[in-house]
Amino acid sequence: MKQFLITTAGVFAGLVLFLVGVPFLLIVMAAGAAKPTPTPAHAVLQLDLRDPLTDQDPINPFASLGRRSMSVMSVIETLDRAGKDGKVKGVLVRLPEGGMAPAAADEIRLAIKKFRASGKSVIAHSQGLYPSGVVSSTYMLGASADELWMQPGASFQVVGLSGEDIFLKRAFDKYGVKPQYEQRHEYKNAVNPYLYSDYTPAHRESTLSWMGSVYSSALATAALDRKADAGRLRATMEAGPYLAEDAIKLKLIDRVGQVKEAETAALAKAGKGAELIDFEKYMRGRDHERGTGPAIAIVEGEGAIVTGHDGTANPFAGGSAMHSDDISEALYDAIEDKDVKAIVFRVSSPGGSDTASEQILAAVRAAKAAKKPVVVSMGTYAASGGYWVSSQASAIVAQPTTLTGSIGVFGGKFAVGEALGRFGVDVRHLGVGSEYAATFGLGSELTPVQRAAFAGWMDRIYANFIARVADGRKLSPERVGEVAKGRVWTGAQARELGLVDEVGGFYQAVDKAKSLAGLKGDVRLKRMTASVSPFEALESALGVSATSVRTLAAAAWILGDPRAKGLLDQMAAERMRGSGAMVLAPTPVN
């Protein structure tokens, strides 16, 4: 019995250390990393864009553990702050070797141009540009700098834009898999790889259209920033590939040099004693919104649109989604806030649930009814459900390369009964009630009755989508029907079609919101989207608050380390600050 108790105690201690100690140490590490670093008198920020960018900061505090990641929103907000900071003299941008999301590159380019307009310098450095993804957008971003550098011997392969899809129909036919899908309509091509063995005419037309728009936009913008003829620039680039030494002779770049040389040049421009500062460290020193008086609320949503709340039961889970309860709650909070005079709704979503989208759209309508204009700022994409939630805003602002529209719907299933039967697996069905109850069963194909009912359901959802857009955009349903059919448009194309009001970025959307609300001068931005603190995420993982506190106390006792109490005190203080309490700084000990 004694040995059993000892073993049990050891297992308990191990579990506590695993479940509490490791996350707790991670929190402490994150909290330590988040402490702002004093900015030197002459600073050059080094912005590394070689890691993937999200559009917005994740709500989950642990989402970025194990990988370097920044968001487009955090980058542009930090550049805006740096432009007003007298200590920051310049920025050194490290470009990725492949493509960037076009709208993300457009958004950051606008921020760089604004930073340069404050009289500060920007040097961009590339270690090579390869035809992977939308590399023309990467080059466009580099062209917005004062100087575009490239490493000696590096490849310059900005020669076009291409993509490919894998079509599975022949494989499905071979193995007896039966895709059962309905599309509204021919341009809603997300499921085409399951249904066909090649591009349909509509699929080909739509894809080449948006690709051409994105590519032309990037080259035209690069030519504008480099003061070059757009046609000549395009011809020169498409005659490649080149090495860096060729690119400089052709005036595609400005300098050839190693990263260290670019750093030295950036520091020299910043003045004597200048220091290179990591962009993320400077970014973490940003102030949270404070003050009173008129404000513009910022509500952010990124990812697939789904119903419910963003739970934190698994705080280490990656990915992001627009949860309709959270987004609508943030919009209603902005409605009830007397200081908020307008709302900027940042949307970056490929779509999702129509019911979740409608819940969010209802909150947008409520804000307008409360005389609070809602301006949508579209990120990388705001398509399908992403356009549904945007369709009735007071105004819509999109980047020229934002992928939007896709006003359509699709749904269905794979019938795998025949395929499984070939391996001796039999699927049988039992049910009561309507024949439609078995519509989504995987064993068999849709019956004529099921197909008709399912198609009718798709028709009704599509009709609802058309009606929402027609009402919001002040267009006839017939006109919306002509530009809908599931077709994807770029922001520039959508502007011509009346689906978007203005081409621009986040701060253009803020200016539009100010104008609609009749606000003048500087207006504070107030974030309404809920965020989860590390403490709350850990609480959710371990259980209720009281239990978590007791467990942490047990961990401190097990560790037997006086530093544990200090860490617990620090966590308690951070929790109170997160709740809006005023917490005094620690008293220094001599």
Short mmCIF file of all heavy atoms in Angstrom, two decimals, residues 101 143-144 381 395 438 481 503 581:
data_model
loop_
_atom_site.label_atom_id
_atom_site.label_comp_id
_atom_site.label_asym_id
_atom_site.label_seq_id
_atom_site.Cartn_x
_atom_site.Cartn_y
_atom_site.Cartn_z
N ALA A 101 0.71 36.59 -50.88
CA ALA A 101 -0.70 36.82 -51.16
C ALA A 101 -0.83 38.23 -51.75
O ALA A 101 -0.38 39.20 -51.13
CB ALA A 101 -1.51 36.70 -49.88
N ALA A 143 9.57 46.84 -55.08
CA ALA A 143 9.68 48.04 -55.91
C ALA A 143 9.18 49.29 -55.19
O ALA A 143 9.48 50.41 -55.62
CB ALA A 143 8.91 47.85 -57.21
N SER A 144 8.44 49.12 -54.11
CA SER A 144 7.92 50.28 -53.38
C SER A 144 8.96 50.91 -52.45
O SER A 144 8.73 51.98 -51.89
CB SER A 144 6.69 49.87 -52.55
OG SER A 144 7.05 49.00 -51.49
N TYR A 381 -8.87 37.78 -49.17
CA TYR A 381 -10.08 37.43 -49.90
C TYR A 381 -11.29 37.68 -49.02
O TYR A 381 -11.20 37.67 -47.79
CB TYR A 381 -10.08 35.97 -50.39
CG TYR A 381 -9.40 34.98 -49.48
CD1 TYR A 381 -9.79 34.83 -48.15
CD2 TYR A 381 -8.36 34.20 -49.95
CE1 TYR A 381 -9.17 33.92 -47.32
CE2 TYR A 381 -7.73 33.28 -49.12
CZ TYR A 381 -8.13 33.14 -47.81
OH TYR A 381 -7.51 32.25 -46.98
N ALA A 395 -20.22 50.77 -46.84
CA ALA A 395 -19.26 50.89 -47.94
C ALA A 395 -18.31 49.70 -47.87
O ALA A 395 -18.08 49.14 -46.79
CB ALA A 395 -18.49 52.20 -47.86
N ALA A 438 -31.91 10.32 -45.52
CA ALA A 438 -30.70 9.57 -45.87
C ALA A 438 -29.88 10.25 -46.97
O ALA A 438 -28.95 9.65 -47.50
CB ALA A 438 -31.08 8.17 -46.32
N GLY A 481 -27.50 38.68 -60.59
CA GLY A 481 -27.46 37.36 -61.18
C GLY A 481 -26.45 37.25 -62.32
O GLY A 481 -25.81 36.21 -62.51
N VAL A 503 -11.18 51.09 -54.11
CA VAL A 503 -9.99 50.26 -54.09
C VAL A 503 -9.00 50.91 -53.13
O VAL A 503 -8.66 52.09 -53.27
CB VAL A 503 -9.37 50.13 -55.50
CG1 VAL A 503 -8.00 49.49 -55.42
CG2 VAL A 503 -10.29 49.32 -56.40
N ALA A 581 -8.11 46.25 -14.69
CA ALA A 581 -7.74 46.81 -13.39
C ALA A 581 -6.41 47.56 -13.50
O ALA A 581 -5.57 47.26 -14.33
CB ALA A 581 -7.61 45.69 -12.36
#
